[in-house]
């Protein structure tokens, strides 16, 4: 299959038109007509991720986060982004990113399903399609009212994370939950407006966390990577089912930092 044909399959799952205006999704490096025999899937196009794609003999590196966010005035090996672009080109590897378009058409539903949420609604509406409003995150009902302490244990199990950062009284009851994989600072107000008892997300700073808790919204910060890593196994399965004859490999789970 050509890179263009693979992209058509990816667009069926998460059309690029659903991406936020500030985002940079799609084929960021490569040739649409390149023949693709092997795909390597990772959350980020890091130096390590690119080296792994090379070692695997991949023709396409599929990531959630874009390799290129800002405009590049030059591409050379003196700049770390430029080095990555050069390395990809030298090794004949194309690079495609599914970021906020996957957040809208994939990540939110996957994360909500991991938590067993029902009666789900879009948390932060970012666009309106033929099927109705779409957007970032979901808000819905947990299977039963539980304490925040038990919800913490549930989140750890659901997303296979060892540690979380929590704002709020661990004894308080929670039933209505908002979930936003990735960075959730911008959706705190949406979670409050929706009447959520708890927000499960990542990248919450001190001030946002204590202010949310003071307003009655508990927060479980399971990490940006902690929740979004579900992109990898989902896309591995998606492409294995649809891209016949293509070998698909997912990057092993690797937390980008450690608590010491």
């Amino acid at each position: 299959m050509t890179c263009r044909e693979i992209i058509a399959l990816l667009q069926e799952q998460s059309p690029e038109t659903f991406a936020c205006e500030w985002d940079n999704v799609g084929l960021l490096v490569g040739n649409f007509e390149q023949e693709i025999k092997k795909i390597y899937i990772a959350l980020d196009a890091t130096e390590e991720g690119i080296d792994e794609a090379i070692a695997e003999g991949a023709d396409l590196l599929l990531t959630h986060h874009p390799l290129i966010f800002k405009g590049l005035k030059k591409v050379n090996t003196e700049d770390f982004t430029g080095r990555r672009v050069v390395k990809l080109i030298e090794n004949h590897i194309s690079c495609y990113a599914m970021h906020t378009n996957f957040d809208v058409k994939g990540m939110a539903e996957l994360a909500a399903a991991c938590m067993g949420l029902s009666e789900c609604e879009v948390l932060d509406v970012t666009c309106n399609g033929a099927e109705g409003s779409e957007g970032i995150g979901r808000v819905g009902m947990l299977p039963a009212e539980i304490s925040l302490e038990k919800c913490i244990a549930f989140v750890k199990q659901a997303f296979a994370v060892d540690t979380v950062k929590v704002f709020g009284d661990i004894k308080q009851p929670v039933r209505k939950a908002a979930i936003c994989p990735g960075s959730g600072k911008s959706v705190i107000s949406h979670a409050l407006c929706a009447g959520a008892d708890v927000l499960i997300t990542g990248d919450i700073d001190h001030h946002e966390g204590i202010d949310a808790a003071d307003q009655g919204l508990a927060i479980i910060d399971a990490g940006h990577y902690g929740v979004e890593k579900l992109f990898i196994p989902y896309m591995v399965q998606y492409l294995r089912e649809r891209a016949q004859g293509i070998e698909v490999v997912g990057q092993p789970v690797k937390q980008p930092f450690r608590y010491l």
Side-chain angles (χ1 to χ4, degrees), residues 18 105 122 125 127-135:
F18 282 94
K105 299 292 288 184
V122 175
V125 175
C127 53
N128 291 289
E131 300 177 1
S133 298
E134 290 286 359

Side-chain angles (χ1 to χ4, degrees), residues 178 196 207:
H207 294 291

Side-chain angles (χ1 to χ4, degrees), residues 150-168:
K150 288 186 177 179
C151 190
I152 292 165
F154 189 12
V155 168
K156 285 182 175 181
Q157 181 182 30
F159 298 104
V161 294
D162 295 326
T163 58
V164 296
K165 181 166 63 175
V166 181
F167 296 91

Side-chain angles (χ1 to χ4, degrees), residues 37 53 64 89 139 146 149 221 236:
K37 296 181 179 179
H64 179 49
I89 293 172
V139 58
I146 54 176
E149 186 174 25
D221 184 337
V236 167

